[in-house]
Amino acid sequence: MLFRSPVQLRSWMLCGLPTDSLSTQNGIMMDKSTRWPLLIDPQGQANNFIKQMGKNKEMCANGMVIIKPTDKQYLRAVENGIRFGQWLLMENIGEALDASLEPVLLKQTFKQGGQEVIRLGENTIPWDEGFRFLLTTKLSNPHYSPETQVKVLLINFSVTPSGLEEQLLNACVEEELPELAEKKGELVVENAAMNKQLYDIESQILFLLANSTGNILDDTELINALAEAKVTSEEIKSKMQESEATSEEIFATSEEYRPAAYKAAIMYFCIADLASVDPMYQYSLPWFTVLYRKAVGNSEPSGEVAQRLDNISSYFKYSLYNNVCRSLFESHKLLFSFLLCVALLKGTDQVDALEWNFLISGMTPERLDLPNPDPSWIEPPVWSEICGMAGVPSMAGIAADFAKHAREWRLVFESTTPHTDKYPGCGAAYDLADPATSLKRLALTRCLRRDKLMDGVQAYVIAQMGSKYRSEDTRLNSS
């Protein structure tokens, strides 16, 4: 199992290592690996972490050099880094590595004149043990050949939903309860110091036992050391028990703010998915985190934790909406509102996956073969879509009910506002304000009057999140 002292982990976090467990494991692998790490880092977290470590003289005594594969003289920088024991960060690499780097990646060193050296091109360079080579790529899903993968340690630094939730929880606690966050950091240092003291005591006792001669009971120094060690050990264990109780209290208090962090993490992945709408829509994680911290600080205070969480989430949601809408084309603003709304409802299990899949694609597990009740106004494609709805378990009876009330449905079909009219039959229970039935209503609008679907989506967004999220009401100034 990978292990690193809490003090070391804390020093990494002060240099920008994200606080979630996955990032911690990635940091330990970077530190322990015998191969140079290649970090998949689309959000730039690993890049920032490495650069901050490079500024720390205790971690990086000889400094850091940052290069790119496109630099003309980057091999000269590699040679100097090896010679002077510097850290070398090569960022923005693609899916292939220059063949000239192979000796460095494989650490093909050898002895020459009693000195360890490496041959790079035509030059033989002295190898300094302080040298470290780190590579990062912004590609989110790169494909590296097996030949490349055996030369480096691939580490995926892409943020995960649970990892981002943990990071945002820590950010929220730091802004909301700074004293608690500070106390948590102090406990980490204190616990590490006490663990080290216990280890030193045990090492001293083992040393005295190993070097004791004759009868142990006659060794006064050993007996005195054991007595002192017992007293000191009891004191340390007592302090550690108090520290554990305090840590549990801090953890319980921090956990109360997790729902706000969970919702914020959902919102991040919602805006990250906008890149599939247009590659121009790229939003950095540091920007998102800063915006979240500001929302925690600027949202309305409350003595009730539940109300406070609601205030934070509501303020941040609207702040994020306004800031993102600045960069969107007008035609995509309603789409963003809709995706944001559905993502948040999905996060609380209020969206049926099959209903959602039918709404966006028209695909269902099966389609019922029912006769068209009134071909005079129901076009074959429309009836086929309605029969497809019956293939979704939660909408299984809609096609038969539609055929039963075909005359009433014709009035809806001919209406100028079919997306908001009251539906006949079982459709009468479908309400845009009710997350349990709202997608069913949109699905019926999609089948019956596709030209009114966008109006239906807008009505859905207003019913679920409020009129300020409608596309025409987009605010261009961040609150």
Side-chain angles (χ1 to χ4, degrees):
M1 181 177 178
L2 295 176
F3 174 76
R4 211 62 173 148
S5 75
V7 175
Q8 178 68 60
L9 293 177
R10 177 160 175 76
S11 66
W12 286 350
M13 290 172 186
L14 290 174
C15 288
L17 180 70
T19 51
D20 60 283
S21 58
L22 180 62
S23 298
T24 299
Q25 293 171 16
N26 287 341
I28 295 172
M29 285 192 289
M30 283 174 56
D31 185 62
K32 293 275 190 179
S33 173
T34 56
R35 289 182 287 174
W36 301 127
L38 195 167
L39 311 174
I40 300 170
D41 185 35
Q43 287 84 27
Q45 294 186 111
N47 221 43
N48 176 64
F49 168 52
I50 295 169
K51 288 178 180 178
Q52 291 300 320
M53 283 201 301
K55 296 176 182 177
N56 190 318
K57 291 298 181 183
E58 293 182 3
M59 298 182 182
C60 183
N62 299 320
M64 173 182 284
V65 177
I66 301 171
I67 59 174
K68 296 180 177 64
T70 53
D71 295 343
K72 292 182 179 179
Q73 299 294 326
Y74 82 87
L75 279 178
R76 180 67 57 85
V78 174
E79 292 178 7
N80 290 335
I82 295 171
R83 181 177 285 109
F84 300 116
Q86 297 173 320
W87 285 22
L88 200 64
L89 171 61
M90 178 177 281
E91 55 186 13
N92 298 341
I93 68 167
E95 294 188 337
L97 296 176
D98 194 332
S100 60
L101 293 173
E102 185 169 326
V104 182
L105 296 175
L106 296 177
K107 299 182 182 179
Q108 294 176 340
T109 60
F110 58 94
K111 292 284 187 179
Q112 187 178 76
Q115 185 179 24
E116 193 169 13
V117 297
I118 188 171
R119 190 165 186 83
L120 195 60
E122 297 180 354
N123 302 323
T124 302
I125 305 156
W127 179 272
D128 192 296
E129 288 299 324
F131 171 71
R132 286 193 69 183
F133 192 29
L134 306 108
L135 306 97
T136 63
T137 177
K138 288 185 177 181
L139 301 175
S140 58
N141 189 26
H143 174 72
Y144 291 103
S145 64
E147 292 80 7
T148 299
Q149 293 184 39
V150 298
K151 297 173 187 174
V152 297
L153 174 69
L154 276 176
I155 301 178
N156 191 350
F157 247 96
S158 301
V159 67
T160 61
S162 59
L164 180 58
E165 180 185 333
E166 199 67 35
Q167 293 177 40
L168 294 174
L169 175 61
N170 285 305
C172 182
V173 172
E174 287 173 7
E175 293 294 323
E176 185 75 3
L177 305 167
E179 294 179 359
L180 191 73
E182 185 178 351
K183 181 65 176 176
K184 184 178 179 181
E186 290 173 357
L187 284 175
V188 170
V189 176
E190 289 174 5
N191 286 339
M194 287 188 287
N195 280 321
K196 185 178 185 303
Q197 194 174 355
L198 279 176
Y199 176 78
D200 291 341
I201 290 171
E202 292 169 358
S203 298
Q204 181 188 12
I205 292 171
L206 290 173
F207 176 78
L208 291 173
L209 285 171
N211 291 278
S212 177
T213 55
N215 192 341
I216 293 178
L217 297 176
D218 295 333
D219 193 332
T220 308
E221 183 184 359
L222 177 59
I223 293 172
N224 291 337
L226 286 171
E228 291 176 6
K230 183 178 180 181
V231 173
T232 306
S233 176
E234 291 295 331
E235 291 177 357
I236 292 173
K237 287 180 180 178
S238 176
K239 289 180 181 178
M240 290 186 72
Q241 287 176 354
E242 294 176 7
S243 176
E244 286 176 7
T246 307
S247 297
E248 290 177 3
E249 184 181 344
I250 290 173
F251 177 77
T253 306
S254 300
E255 283 297 301
E256 292 179 352
Y257 290 86
R258 185 171 291 278
Y262 174 67
K263 288 182 181 178
I266 290 173
M267 293 183 216
Y268 174 77
F269 286 98
C270 178
I271 65 171
D273 288 341
L274 289 176
S276 60
V277 177
D278 192 307
M280 182 185 73
Y281 299 150
Q282 303 281 344
Y283 303 94
S284 75
L285 183 57
W287 166 82
F288 181 88
T289 306
V290 169
L291 195 65
Y292 183 66
R293 286 180 179 273
K294 287 182 178 179
V296 175
N298 296 335
S299 54
E300 185 178 349
S302 175
E304 296 289 333
V305 175
Q307 182 60 47
R308 176 64 179 145
L309 294 178
D310 186 61
N311 292 345
I312 291 172
S313 296
S314 298
Y315 186 97
F316 176 64
K317 179 170 65 174
Y318 191 48
S319 175
L320 179 70
Y321 174 76
N322 281 326
N323 278 275
V324 171
C325 279
R326 288 175 170 180
S327 62
L328 299 181
F329 293 117
E330 192 64 36
S331 59
H332 293 153
K333 290 178 181 178
L334 178 59
L335 174 63
F336 171 56
S337 299
F338 183 52
L339 292 175
L340 182 64
C341 181
V342 172
L344 289 169
L345 291 175
K346 277 184 176 180
T348 52
D349 296 325
Q350 296 186 73
V351 171
D352 185 291
L354 290 176
E355 289 179 13
W356 172 246
N357 188 55
F358 176 81
L359 180 64
I360 61 176
S361 67
M363 297 178 64
T364 59
E366 59 179 333
R367 289 179 182 270
L368 296 184
D369 187 15
L370 297 175
N372 190 331
D374 193 346
S376 65
W377 68 273
I378 303 176
E379 297 288 334
V382 172
W383 183 243
S384 176
E385 289 277 300
I386 294 171
C387 288
M389 287 181 68
V392 178
S394 62
M395 301 187 292
I398 285 181
D401 187 79
F402 189 96
K404 184 178 178 181
H405 299 89
R407 184 175 299 176
E408 293 91 335
W409 276 109
R410 182 168 187 172
L411 298 176
V412 177
F413 176 76
E414 295 174 349
S415 171
T416 57
T417 57
H419 56 289
T420 56
D421 287 350
K422 185 176 180 180
Y423 287 170
C426 65
Y430 298 162
D431 184 2
L432 284 172
D434 182 4
T437 61
S438 52
L439 286 187
K440 295 183 180 71
R441 186 177 181 90
L442 281 179
L444 276 167
T445 304
R446 179 189 190 278
C447 297
L448 198 63
R449 287 285 300 275
R450 189 169 295 191
D451 60 310
K452 289 292 183 178
L453 181 59
M454 295 308 293
D455 291 335
V457 167
Q458 180 134 289
Y460 173 88
V461 170
I462 293 171
Q464 296 293 334
M465 297 200 299
S467 60
K468 62 184 179 181
Y469 292 95
R470 60 188 295 172
S471 60
E472 291 92 351
D473 197 33
T474 303
R475 304 289 191 262
L476 294 180
N477 295 317
S478 174
S479 56

